[in-house]
Amino acid sequence: MSRARVRRLDPLRLDVFQHLFAAAAEEMGAALLRSSFSTNIRERRDFSCALFDGRGRMIGQAAHLPVHLGSTPMSVRAAIAHCAMGPGDAVLLNDPYRGGTHLPDLTLVSPVFLPGSTRPDFFCANRAHHADVGGAVPGSMAPADDVHGEGLRIPPLHLVRAGKLERTTLALILANMRCPDEREGDLLAQWATNRIGERRLLALAAEQGARELRGRAQELMDWTERLTRALLTSLPARRVRFADTLEEPGGKDAFIRLELVKRGATLSCDLRATDSVPRSSLSATLAVTHSAVFYCLRALLPPGTPANDGILRPVRILTRPGTLVDAAYPAGVAAGNVETSQRIVDVLFGALDALVPARIPAASAGTMSNLTFAAAAVPGGAPAFTYYETIPGGAGASAVGPGESGLQTHMTNTRNTPIEAFERSYPVRVERLELRRSSGGRGARAGGDGVRKRLRFLVDVQAAFIRDRQRRGPWGLAGGAAG
């Protein structure tokens, strides 16, 4: 951006537009929360909403899930590349090799045409974790040898054309999922959510003018890029290596290895030395890896920095297809989104500690502790329900103070299902939910404690659990002990 253009920027007006775009995304989230059917979306708020310009670049987001928001741009660009979208259309996808995360995360992308436009000016997108999308095990989150065992893989395809639902497409999708009525309700809620975003953008264009809306979106991304480059310029020029592990089935460790190179106002994140795990569900998609880098940089930027496409412009992310950080077909990805994403953050923060000491916290829980269970209405019949949740852990301590206990950390930002809603919706009793005292790492400032949760099922269920950090606890910093 030229200096002349920088001088013409109106920071106050840009800040207003930042909040206008963010408010529209938050309004989308409120609509999805109110209209969804499943407990995971309605109570745990396992969804995210964001707005994009006509090229698929993120211009604004709600304060939802980091693992969703930093990865959704790739899904939006995949939808643009594979589907010609007209007014009233909506494209559905979850393909992990085309910008997706893992199969339960269904993304819906809708174009927004401002008056007189023949091409989309903006896109609205939301991503929601569905409690089941088929596969070998209810909940679609159990370890599988490859992606086909994890559930239904959906390339970009039209769910809605010109405002009308594609009934045959919907029928094909629902036929491959357990509890199809709940899945249909959540998909329709996602469609309504994008229409809310479209309505808000059209109202802003009518109030501010289409040219002003497009121009401010561009300037917001440029502004964020400048703030990111200023941050990087302030850091010492260094080459740093850091590695951490994930626990493979069978007792083996799989390594994520990072070489971080900071030069001038740019940053290189080289993850090509990371291990391959071809017969595992631990592979994170490239979109998830980008999301982790996006999150870590955003955490270091000044408060109030717009979260948009500008953050990753000065960053080069290098990966090798077929590794833990760049899933290649047909690798499983269920745990890559929830476990490997957390470890990528740990590795990035571990390396960044050499550049910004005293600002980086010790490692947090490092696992989302994913629980799924389902039961049939009658023996051998179709599932009466499927349920998914992540169980919170402790946050790492820092120079500021001790870590918080019993909360979702880093790449997840979901809520706990209230016990009252949990027991009302499912034949389950929560017998214990408490902090595991002194489970956080000891030190001058202690790490946050994890939780203990005990459930009693009142009917026979099929359950699965994906977790990590069972053999080796989260690392400490500045002499602090591991969790």
Side-chain angles (χ1 to χ4, degrees):
M1 185 171 13
S2 69
R3 292 186 179 180
R5 185 175 178 185
V6 170
R7 285 195 294 268
R8 290 198 301 270
L9 290 178
D10 182 347
L12 181 59
R13 187 154 179 78
L14 271 183
D15 195 48
V16 169
F17 271 84
Q18 173 197 350
H19 289 289
L20 287 173
F21 288 133
E26 292 283 0
E27 188 175 351
M28 291 170 62
L32 184 52
L33 174 69
R34 291 194 303 268
S35 56
S36 58
F37 279 55
S38 64
T39 302
N40 191 49
I41 299 175
R42 186 182 66 250
E43 299 288 353
R44 295 189 61 254
R45 307 190 181 189
D46 197 345
F47 62 80
S48 298
C49 302
L51 304 177
F52 301 80
D53 72 357
R55 292 167 55 186
R57 300 177 298 180
M58 187 166 67
I59 60 173
Q61 64 174 50
H64 292 154
L65 276 63
V67 74
H68 285 174
L69 292 165
S71 56
T72 302
M74 284 192 178
S75 286
V76 174
R77 291 195 290 271
I80 295 171
H82 292 87
C83 298
M85 286 181 266
D89 289 359
V91 170
L92 179 71
L93 71 155
N94 73 349
D95 193 333
Y97 316 111
R98 301 185 195 181
T101 51
H102 59 181
L103 298 185
D105 282 343
L106 300 188
T107 302
L108 196 67
V109 181
S110 302
V112 178
F113 292 79
L114 300 184
S117 295
T118 57
R119 300 176 61 183
D121 295 278
F122 298 96
F123 291 89
C124 299
N126 69 79
R127 173 173 284 166
H129 185 117
H130 287 245
D132 181 88
V133 290
V137 178
S140 312
M141 283 293 295
D145 285 344
D146 61 36
V147 71
H148 299 291
E150 294 182 338
L152 180 65
R153 178 175 157 216
I154 306 170
L157 51 80
H158 278 83
L159 183 67
V160 182
R161 288 186 189 271
K164 294 185 178 180
L165 195 64
E166 291 278 3
R167 294 284 177 182
T168 53
T169 299
L170 180 62
L172 175 63
I173 292 169
L174 297 180
N176 286 278
M177 297 182 178
R178 302 169 180 91
C179 303
D181 290 343
E182 186 177 83
R183 300 287 70 71
E184 181 177 9
D186 286 343
L187 282 170
L188 294 179
Q190 288 185 258
W191 178 24
T193 294
N194 279 1
R195 290 156 66 191
I196 292 290
E198 177 186 23
R199 187 184 306 168
R200 182 59 56 227
L201 286 171
L202 290 172
L204 286 174
E207 177 184 330
Q208 304 289 339
R211 183 177 179 181
E212 175 78 351
L213 199 62
R214 288 191 292 261
R216 295 299 177 180
Q218 176 65 51
E219 287 180 352
L220 271 171
M221 292 184 284
D222 292 342
W223 184 21
T224 297
E225 180 186 358
R226 286 171 49 220
L227 292 173
T228 306
R229 290 188 183 277
L231 166 69
L232 295 176
T233 300
S234 70
L235 304 182
R238 290 194 62 180
R239 182 186 300 268
V240 183
R241 292 184 176 90
F242 197 91
D244 205 345
T245 61
L246 286 154
E247 298 167 359
E248 285 192 81
K252 295 182 179 179
D253 286 335
F255 278 84
I256 296 177
R257 299 181 181 90
L258 168 68
E259 181 178 75
L260 199 66
V261 181
K262 188 271 173 183
R263 291 193 184 97
T266 64
L267 188 70
S268 171
C269 303
D270 190 341
L271 292 150
R272 289 176 292 185
T274 294
D275 286 351
S276 300
V277 282
R279 308 300 291 178
S280 165
S281 66
L282 281 171
S283 293
T285 68
L286 186 59
V288 167
T289 298
H290 277 240
S291 187
V293 177
F294 181 97
Y295 165 76
C296 290
L297 278 178
R298 177 62 187 85
L300 294 175
L301 286 164
T305 299
N308 58 42
D309 178 81
I311 287 178
L312 289 185
R313 288 181 183 177
V315 181
R316 188 182 184 197
I317 301 172
L318 302 172
T319 63
R320 180 167 55 87
T323 61
L324 281 166
V325 297
D326 190 350
Y329 175 83
V333 295
N337 181 65
V338 292
E339 301 301 296
T340 309
S341 67
Q342 298 283 59
R343 197 64 69 254
I344 298 170
V345 168
D346 288 342
V347 169
L348 284 163
F349 275 150
L352 285 167
D353 180 62
L355 302 181
V356 282
R359 288 194 62 189
I360 300 298
S364 295
T367 176
M368 296 192 197
S369 296
N370 309 265
L371 172 67
T372 57
F373 61 82
V378 295
F385 62 82
T386 56
Y387 177 77
Y388 168 75
E389 72 172 358
T390 57
I391 299 172
S398 70
V400 176
E404 295 290 339
S405 299
L407 78 169
Q408 308 285 352
T409 57
H410 292 322
M411 297 303 281
T412 179
N413 191 31
T414 55
R415 296 193 176 190
N416 176 59
T417 302
I419 292 175
E420 295 81 3
F422 190 43
E423 294 185 341
R424 184 176 65 247
S425 301
Y426 306 100
V428 180
R429 293 293 176 265
V430 181
E431 296 190 342
R432 176 176 291 180
L433 179 58
E434 60 188 4
L435 294 177
R436 293 181 59 233
R437 297 295 183 184
S438 300
S439 59
R442 299 299 90 192
R445 298 175 180 87
D449 292 330
V451 302
R452 179 182 289 110
K453 188 169 188 176
R454 179 176 292 175
L455 306 178
R456 180 182 295 275
F457 297 104
L458 306 183
V459 298
D460 290 340
V461 301
Q462 186 174 0
F465 191 58
I466 293 179
R467 83 296 175 266
D468 205 85
R469 293 294 196 199
Q470 302 295 296
R471 298 193 299 268
R472 184 181 303 177
W475 42 262
L477 276 180

